[in-house]
Amino acid sequence: MSEGKPNHELLDAVRVALATVADPARAEPMRAYMKSTMPFRGVPSPERKRVCRHLLPAHPIARRGDWEATVLALWDDAAYREERYAALALTGHRLYRGWQDVAALSLYDHLTVTGAWWDFVDEIASSRVGPILAAAPGDVGPLLLRWASDDDIWRRRVAILAQLKAKSETDTELLRLCIEPSLGRPEFFLRKGIGWALREYAKTDPDWVRTYVATHFDQLAPLSRREAMKNLPGEADGPARSGEASR
């Protein structure tokens, strides 16, 4: 990650605005729902998005290093979870579209490992890493293969979900190789992630997903199978173990 100086005007403005629109009565239910050790201020999603929509372009950042430093300051120094959501919004703002490249992956890796929960990781995977993969598959693909076998389950989940929005551009061999190391793993978020990735691709190529599930029936967790086949007509818990045609 590049060295830079945080934009303190933006940091202060975001923190003050979030505090102003917070509803303290919502804070504990939001924290409990997310099972978060970090407290919430109690800012509903529409209000938080409105704050970011107004403040992020009002405090533009000219240098890439300063953008990264501002993201990290908002993220690493967050006292409330909403500040981390704002940091994610800053990473994806249209003003910084030109910095969505391979060099940004170290930043997204940091957010993944330190965030370590689905509400952060899923957006990073599908809306940050995914587009970079589409633009530079030769550089990003090998990195995702390493993450797919990493000790950190959230890196694995990013690798599995990175092509969630790729549709017909999905590299099925890469998808297969990113899923493979987590087949049989007990972690819920890996099993759910595998099923989700397959379910989304089934909207584009249902036959590929049917074949994949049939071929890997015994390796896939029941949760993964159910998720993968959820929206396919006539499918309940996947095809027969022998790989027979679907009913």
Side-chain angles (χ1 to χ4, degrees):
M1 289 178 281
S2 303
E3 293 185 3
K5 296 181 179 179
N7 183 324
H8 289 287
E9 289 185 0
L10 175 57
L11 294 173
D12 292 342
V14 167
R15 289 164 179 157
V16 169
L18 290 175
T20 300
V21 299
D23 179 355
R26 292 175 177 259
E28 178 54 26
M30 291 172 72
R31 188 206 63 77
Y33 170 77
M34 197 55 64
K35 297 183 172 71
S36 174
T37 56
M38 180 179 288
F40 277 81
R41 275 199 178 278
V43 182
S45 178
E47 285 296 312
R48 171 171 47 82
K49 291 177 180 177
R50 184 188 62 78
V51 165
C52 292
R53 190 163 55 244
H54 172 69
L55 290 180
L56 299 187
H59 299 273
I61 302 170
R63 295 178 60 250
R64 180 179 190 136
D66 295 344
W67 166 71
E68 290 187 348
T70 306
V71 170
L72 289 172
L74 196 52
W75 182 274
D76 290 340
D77 298 338
Y80 298 93
R81 204 169 188 89
E82 289 93 339
E83 293 168 18
R84 287 194 161 181
Y85 294 144
L88 271 186
L90 179 58
T91 66
H93 195 272
R94 56 180 174 78
L95 290 176
Y96 314 111
R97 195 169 294 150
W99 297 334
Q100 300 301 315
D101 55 25
V102 174
L105 292 176
S106 59
L107 172 63
Y108 296 138
D109 182 46
H110 174 81
L111 302 187
T112 295
V113 173
T114 56
W117 203 241
W118 64 267
D119 56 334
F120 300 136
V121 169
D122 293 359
E123 182 173 355
I124 292 167
S126 62
S127 298
R128 302 295 183 272
V129 176
I132 299 172
L133 170 65
D139 292 319
V140 183
L143 175 64
L144 292 184
L145 292 178
R146 293 197 296 273
W147 285 1
S149 297
D150 198 87
D151 290 340
D152 188 291
I153 69 164
W154 300 104
R155 283 190 177 123
R156 287 180 178 240
R157 187 167 166 105
V158 168
I160 292 166
L161 297 180
Q163 298 191 82
L164 203 62
K165 298 179 180 180
K167 298 182 179 179
S168 62
E169 300 302 314
T170 297
D171 179 341
T172 54
E173 180 64 7
L174 178 61
L175 177 60
R176 182 184 69 79
L177 290 173
C178 285
I179 289 174
E180 189 173 82
S182 294
L183 291 173
R185 290 280 298 232
E187 294 90 350
F188 169 83
F189 286 107
L190 293 179
R191 294 181 172 193
K192 186 78 169 183
I194 290 169
W196 187 16
L198 293 171
R199 186 178 81 229
E200 282 302 302
Y201 188 56
K203 297 174 183 177
T204 297
D205 191 343
D207 289 338
W208 188 92
V209 173
R210 285 191 182 99
T211 299
Y212 182 88
V213 172
T215 304
H216 299 83
F217 192 93
D218 290 324
Q219 296 169 284
L220 286 163
L223 172 62
S224 301
R225 294 197 303 266
R226 287 194 300 272
E227 287 294 315
M229 309 303 284
K230 197 170 190 176
N231 297 322
L232 296 179
E235 303 291 349
D237 191 26
R241 290 175 182 269
S242 63
E244 294 174 352
S246 306
R247 288 178 300 210

